[in-house]
Amino acid sequence: MHKQILILLFSLLLTVSCGSSSKSGTKNKVDIKIISMAVEEKSLNVMRDILSKNGFNPTINMLPDYASFTGQLEANNYDIAINSWNTVTGNPDYAARSLFLSDGDYNYSKISNAQLDELIEKASAESFADSKATYSEIEKIIIDENAYIIPLYNRVKTQAFNKTIVDENTVKIYKAASINAGEISFVDKTKNETEPLYISQTVSSLTSLDPIKGNDGSINFINNQMYVRIVTLTTNDQISTENSLSYNYAIASGNKDYYFVLRDDIYFAKVENKKAVDSGERVGASDVVFSLNRAKDRNSVPNHRTYSLHSSMEKISIVTDINELKNTKTDTSDVYTELSKNLPAPISSLTSVTSQADNKNGVYQVVKVTTVKPFPQVLNYLAHQSAGIVSESQIKKVNTYNVANYDPQKDICYGDESTITEGNSYNNTLYTSGQYIAVYKNNYEVVLERNPGFMKDTDKFPKIKTVTIKFIKDLDAAVSSLRSGDIYVLYDIVADKLKVIESDSNLVLQTMPSNALIFAFLNMSDGHVTKDINIRKAVLYSADQNAFIAVNDGYGYKAYTTLSPLVDTGNTLTADKNKVQQYLKAYEESKASSNQ
């Protein structure tokens, strides 16, 4: 009798432990696999803890670096993958196209939604004001209807500098764009010609110094300094011609033709005896046409990493008929009038020959970009470092290999880091149109020198002659170097280091909301629990963004999608445990029904 009672009690206990509960809403916790990189360890731990309390049984896999992480993504070895996305072009199309279009470059959620594809294309052709409603609809399809991704928080952009060494009035923080080293001056301006500006970065292996072959943290700062674009971004992501090759730009009515009137006071720099010198070759319209055509052609170089950014361009041409400018209407006037603002002299004639441009006497070069369809956001892509202007003659001189038969063991490409690395392979063939040129690299640093032919007689001529980028992999060591005065500027600082910087009276910490969203991909492939929409929505409503922001010491903002920093749609996400239980219950019922 006692034995039967014990068996009965054990059975009851087993039923209670395995049965449904008010906390989980399911008979059994749902197994789910989460991966992330080590840099997102805090978010990984918060996600694990949140899901554990909401009816899931998470297992985690923290990968050491980006290569390992992408390897797991490509192997489909995850249900949830915590990652980040930074819209470095400052425009919403870039924040939607690659991630959510059915054939998007970074569509790791395996999204295939014809309605979403149609809306992304629709928004891209609209003005910014008109696109707001469309992007709001896009967001609701992504989050409310399908839970394709899980937004965790918007990252704060950070940079710090030593104000006893660097003039704090000359250091700007840009929401999307890289630091502009050419604007920075020392407090003691006599040191601008003699002392290097020391900056650090974590990655010492450079993808490529050809602007179209790299789009990552190893080269973004460097290539932004080395190649001028025809437009730039302001600190708050507005299109500008400040520090660009253009005086002005104009958009023809219909948003398909974009005109740029070029400066005649920028020359390519080259390196002789590890020193920057003026090549004597002016940067002109033919270089712009050549550069933008190769930027949009995925087969122009091996390992082209940025062609999708420039696929909207159909034709790039040089305008030689001044009447075209006068007869082409814009929404407010005409192209000629808009290009003529604040020029050294009125436009009297146009030329296709770079050497014949003479702005002071009214002779200019004008480039026209025609897009495949109306696409105002093309300007943001033209401000990206991958649209940097290269020398047509130098590229053709260096890249003599056949792209289709490229052999990395023997073929040397323009921009290969080996060509600027000290040692037997050093053969610096760079020609750069921007404010600086990389003169050499070793295991410890890469040294940039000022382009002596960059707007020399203007206030845009770079203030500091030499910029030395020190490779410091460990962020603790980088912060220590900043505090000790070994480096002067540090950027992309993680949250738990910011309090230390704020406490140092010699340092200035600059922060602003960034375009970077920390979020989770949800794997919708066959065989993954996250293919079920009820599971995805249960994960979605488990995500308490306050918890993710809290573990980053409050340095973060609530977000809805990658579009949040760019378009104020008013859409928000609120964690809701009741909804979690509702969707988990629906999942259990669906699973039970399919098993009958």
Side-chain angles (χ1 to χ4, degrees):
M1 185 67 178
H2 289 295
K3 185 176 181 182
Q4 289 176 329
I5 292 172
L6 287 172
I7 291 172
L8 180 61
L9 287 171
F10 179 76
S11 298
L12 287 169
L13 286 170
L14 188 63
T15 301
V16 170
S17 66
C18 295
S20 62
S21 70
S22 60
K23 286 188 177 181
S24 71
T26 61
K27 293 180 179 179
N28 297 291
K29 286 197 169 188
V30 178
D31 292 334
I32 199 161
K33 183 174 183 179
I34 315 170
I35 66 171
S36 82
M37 287 177 283
V39 70
E40 297 299 343
E41 181 178 6
K42 289 182 178 180
S43 295
L44 178 65
N45 291 334
V46 172
M47 180 67 86
R48 176 197 60 200
D49 294 345
I50 283 175
L51 293 182
S52 295
K53 295 173 182 176
N54 281 281
F56 291 91
N57 179 37
T59 58
I60 63 174
N61 183 13
M62 187 169 68
L63 289 311
D65 51 40
Y66 185 68
S68 304
F69 179 74
T70 54
Q72 292 297 301
L73 289 179
E74 290 165 1
N76 225 17
N77 194 17
Y78 70 98
D79 297 313
I80 299 174
I82 296 175
N83 199 7
S84 64
W85 177 267
N86 188 14
T87 305
V88 293
T89 55
N91 63 308
D93 184 71
Y94 186 60
R97 182 172 297 275
S98 290
L99 291 165
F100 307 124
L101 205 65
S102 294
D103 60 350
D105 303 351
Y106 292 90
N107 182 0
Y108 287 113
S109 289
K110 320 298 182 187
I111 297 167
S112 181
N113 186 315
Q115 182 187 10
L116 192 55
D117 292 347
E118 183 179 337
L119 287 171
I120 290 171
E121 296 298 347
K122 177 176 182 286
S124 72
E126 295 174 327
S127 68
F128 184 79
D130 292 339
S131 69
K132 184 175 178 178
T134 308
Y135 282 119
S136 179
E137 191 174 353
I138 287 170
E139 284 197 320
K140 288 176 180 177
I141 292 172
I142 293 168
I143 302 297
D144 290 1
E145 294 181 18
N146 296 286
Y148 286 144
I149 66 167
I150 311 299
L152 306 183
Y153 68 98
N154 253 127
R155 179 173 283 163
V156 174
K157 186 164 186 178
T158 58
Q159 65 188 40
F161 59 90
N162 189 320
K163 68 180 181 182
T164 69
I165 299 171
V166 174
D167 182 353
E168 60 184 304
N169 296 316
T170 65
V171 185
K172 297 178 183 177
I173 183 168
Y174 290 80
K175 188 179 182 186
S178 175
I179 296 173
N180 183 353
E183 296 175 325
I184 300 174
S185 172
F186 289 123
V187 172
D188 181 354
K189 292 179 174 51
T190 63
K191 293 183 177 180
N192 285 350
E193 295 296 319
T194 58
E195 298 292 326
L197 174 67
Y198 289 110
I199 297 178
S200 79
Q201 70 176 43
T202 57
V203 184
S204 59
S205 178
L206 309 181
T207 306
S208 177
L209 299 174
D210 183 337
I212 65 173
K213 291 187 65 179
N215 190 21
D216 58 78
S218 73
I219 50 77
N220 280 344
F221 171 76
I222 297 171
N223 284 352
N224 267 291
Q225 314 310 313
M226 295 207 304
Y227 299 97
V228 75
R229 279 87 70 202
I230 56 176
V231 287
T232 56
L233 293 178
T234 65
T235 55
N236 201 33
D237 290 353
Q238 300 304 303
I239 300 297
S240 171
T241 56
E242 190 83 2
N243 295 302
S244 81
L245 183 59
S246 304
Y247 284 113
N248 299 306
Y249 69 91
I251 306 173
S253 296
N255 294 331
K256 279 194 67 177
D257 291 319
Y258 302 79
Y259 294 81
F260 307 85
V261 59
L262 306 186
R263 307 177 65 99
D264 68 351
D265 59 352
I266 299 179
Y267 292 79
F268 287 103
K270 64 178 182 178
V271 175
E272 292 181 354
N273 300 317
K274 293 188 178 178
K275 296 292 180 184
V277 299
D278 186 343
S279 69
E281 180 183 330
R282 185 188 287 171
V283 183
S286 60
D287 297 302
V288 173
V289 172
F290 173 78
S291 299
L292 298 186
N293 274 322
R294 74 191 292 265
K296 74 186 184 76
D297 177 8
R298 68 182 302 172
N299 299 313
S300 61
V301 291
N303 304 316
H304 196 326
R305 296 172 192 249
T306 57
Y307 64 88
S308 63
L309 275 66
H310 305 292
S311 60
S312 64
M313 294 187 293
E314 181 176 39
K315 184 179 180 183
I316 303 101
S317 56
I318 301 173
V319 179
T320 55
D321 182 2
I322 197 169
N323 289 319
E324 178 179 342
L325 307 184
K326 294 178 179 180
N327 294 332
T328 302
K329 300 301 180 182
T330 67
D331 287 346
T332 57
S333 57
D334 59 72
V335 170
Y336 180 87
T337 300
E338 294 195 21
L339 292 185
S340 298
K341 297 173 183 176
N342 302 314
L343 296 179
I347 302 172
S348 60
S349 64
L350 302 177
T351 179
S352 62
V353 181
T354 299
S355 61
Q356 293 179 2
D358 184 359
N359 296 170
K360 290 181 180 178
N361 289 304
V363 184
Y364 291 89
Q365 292 197 296
V366 170
V367 170
K368 179 170 72 171
V369 172
T370 301
T371 54
V372 176
K373 63 178 184 180
F375 190 63
Q377 295 183 57
V378 68
L379 294 169
N380 293 79
Y381 292 121
L382 291 173
H384 188 256
Q385 61 89 16
S386 60
I389 308 306
V390 295
S391 164
E392 178 179 8
S393 61
Q394 185 68 2
I395 294 290
K396 289 180 176 178
K397 179 180 177 182
V398 175
N399 287 356
T400 56
Y401 55 85
N402 183 293
V403 174
N405 299 319
Y406 168 72
D407 182 350
Q409 300 301 316
K410 66 175 184 177
D411 293 326
I412 305 297
C413 296
Y414 174 85
D416 283 358
E417 73 169 334
S418 63
T419 62
I420 69 162
T421 302
E422 290 182 320
N424 295 332
S425 62
Y426 180 89
N427 179 27
N428 196 322
T429 55
L430 293 178
Y431 261 56
T432 66
S433 57
Q435 300 174 102
Y436 289 91
I437 187 169
V439 294
Y440 71 85
K441 172 188 179 289
N442 55 37
N443 291 332
Y444 310 103
E445 61 189 21
V446 57
V447 175
L448 311 182
E449 274 197 10
R450 181 175 59 205
N451 176 358
F454 187 87
M455 302 191 202
K456 188 170 184 179
D457 297 322
T458 74
D459 61 357
K460 305 304 178 186
F461 188 61
K463 296 176 175 62
I464 294 177
K465 181 179 180 181
T466 307
V467 177
T468 298
I469 304 163
K470 291 182 171 292
F471 302 132
I472 306 176
K473 186 174 183 179
D474 180 70
L475 190 55
D476 285 317
V479 171
S480 296
S481 294
L482 180 68
R483 299 186 70 190
S484 66
D486 291 332
I487 62 172
Y488 308 151
V489 180
L490 181 63
Y491 57 92
D492 289 343
I493 311 159
V494 297
D496 59 4
K497 312 299 178 190
L498 299 180
K499 298 294 185 185
V500 174
I501 292 172
E502 286 183 312
S503 68
D504 193 320
S505 61
N506 290 330
L507 305 181
V508 172
L509 174 65
Q510 296 175 312
T511 65
M512 72 183 307
S514 77
N515 291 338
L517 176 74
I518 310 304
F519 72 106
F521 289 115
L522 295 179
N523 194 337
M524 293 184 291
S525 300
D526 290 340
H528 291 265
V529 67
T530 39
K531 183 175 182 180
D532 190 290
I533 191 169
N534 291 305
I535 290 295
R536 297 202 304 274
K537 289 193 173 183
V539 174
L540 176 69
Y541 289 108
S542 296
D544 180 1
Q545 294 192 1
N546 292 318
F548 292 96
I549 294 170
V551 296
N552 285 282
D553 295 331
Y555 290 102
Y557 301 87
K558 291 186 177 182
Y560 197 67
T561 68
T562 47
L563 293 161
S564 296
L566 305 157
V567 185
D568 183 11
T569 61
N571 296 327
T572 58
L573 173 66
T574 302
D576 189 328
K577 289 191 174 184
N578 290 330
K579 286 185 177 180
V580 174
Q581 305 319 314
Q582 171 191 329
Y583 287 115
L584 285 176
K585 183 180 179 182
Y587 167 71
E588 289 285 4
E589 291 173 349
S590 173
K591 189 169 69 168
S593 176
S594 64
N595 289 334
Q596 288 179 354

